[in-house]
Amino acid sequence: MRRKEKHVQNMLDQEKQRNDVIKKGREAIMQLTKSKDIQAGNWEKAIEQITKTVSQLIHSSLVSVWLYNEEEGKINCAKLYAAHDNSFSSGIDLFKKDFPDYFKAMLSEEVILAPNARSHQATAGFTESYFTPRDIYSLLDVPFFDNGRIAGVICCEHQGEIKNWKEEEVDLCKNCCDLITIAYKSWQFNELEQKLKATS
């Protein structure tokens, strides 16, 4: 009887945790939706706000936004937030020719859910050069789009141990991708406007 009660209590605790994540996620999305930087396409500040918020909500130690460059066959890290020292960085390039399995999965426009990223078919190729030096074990990639085509991904990476990504965490990233798309479109429009002004 005690074992059954303990099982029921564990289920109730898990449901409470899930509901807490969902509630906090909704509140965070609401705040981000009001962000002037996201609406106005202040790209650097917008993705800093988004990556840091995601990291805090799902307890992922590294959260980044990558832009896909079809012409050059690569993705570029536009912004990476590291929770351990509350810092931002950018600039890493990863090329299709070096990681064909990952790019095939990414370009399928599906979520890449890899609790054990070092053995997952799409991500195992990163193990030696990327995961091991950074102590990364788990990865979650969610795509965002521009005019119906993939523009990039938001990438959550967990260090030190395997993380089993939860459905509500994936949903939160999907919602944040909608905000990234808004910021991205506004940013692209701003860039185009500046170019037109410069040539007029």
Side-chain angles (χ1 to χ4, degrees):
M1 189 67 180
R2 284 182 181 176
R3 186 176 295 174
K4 186 177 179 181
E5 287 174 356
K6 188 175 181 181
H7 177 67
V8 170
Q9 187 59 51
N10 285 339
M11 288 181 65
L12 290 171
D13 289 343
Q14 287 174 13
E15 186 63 20
K16 184 180 181 300
Q17 289 174 5
R18 180 176 180 274
N19 289 334
D20 285 346
V21 171
I22 292 172
K23 182 183 176 184
K24 288 177 181 176
R26 283 176 182 160
E27 291 170 352
I29 293 295
M30 185 63 70
Q31 290 302 312
L32 287 171
T33 302
K34 296 175 183 177
S35 168
K36 291 180 181 178
D37 291 315
I38 291 173
Q39 296 293 337
N42 296 328
W43 180 242
E44 293 289 327
K45 290 183 178 179
I47 55 177
E48 283 184 2
Q49 290 171 21
I50 293 169
T51 52
K52 185 172 182 176
T53 298
V54 171
S55 174
Q56 291 172 340
L57 286 171
I58 71 173
H59 307 293
S60 181
S61 48
L62 300 170
V63 178
S64 50
V65 171
W66 297 73
L67 294 177
Y68 174 53
N69 186 320
E70 184 178 10
E71 222 174 78
E72 297 183 24
K74 70 176 185 178
I75 54 174
N76 170 262
C77 181
K79 192 69 62 176
L80 182 147
Y81 174 72
H84 73 278
D85 61 356
N86 191 36
S87 68
F88 293 97
S89 60
S90 60
I92 302 171
D93 287 329
L94 298 174
F95 290 88
K96 185 176 182 179
K97 63 181 176 61
D98 298 323
F99 307 103
D101 291 335
Y102 171 78
F103 276 81
K104 182 180 178 182
M106 182 193 74
L107 294 173
S108 73
E109 301 182 356
E110 298 293 327
V111 171
I112 299 175
L113 193 65
N116 189 341
R118 300 183 183 201
S119 63
H120 190 282
Q121 183 178 353
T123 59
F126 292 119
T127 300
E128 187 176 341
S129 62
Y130 187 79
F131 292 152
T132 301
R134 294 167 176 80
D135 197 31
I136 295 167
Y137 283 84
S138 302
L139 177 143
L140 166 63
D141 269 14
V142 181
F144 62 92
F145 301 89
D146 178 40
N147 295 323
R149 302 180 69 181
I150 188 164
V153 297
I154 185 168
C155 176
C156 304
E157 296 163 319
H158 196 69
Q159 297 170 297
E161 60 183 0
I162 287 175
K163 178 178 174 65
N164 291 305
W165 306 102
K166 299 171 184 173
E167 184 181 348
E168 59 269 23
E169 294 172 336
V170 177
D171 288 342
L172 174 70
C173 288
K174 288 179 179 178
N175 289 332
C176 283
C177 278
D178 292 338
L179 296 174
I180 293 172
T181 297
I182 291 169
Y184 181 79
K185 283 179 176 292
S186 298
W187 172 53
Q188 293 291 85
F189 178 80
N190 293 343
E191 292 286 297
L192 180 60
E193 195 174 44
Q194 289 298 320
K195 285 179 183 177
L196 289 172
K197 282 182 181 178
T199 56
S200 62

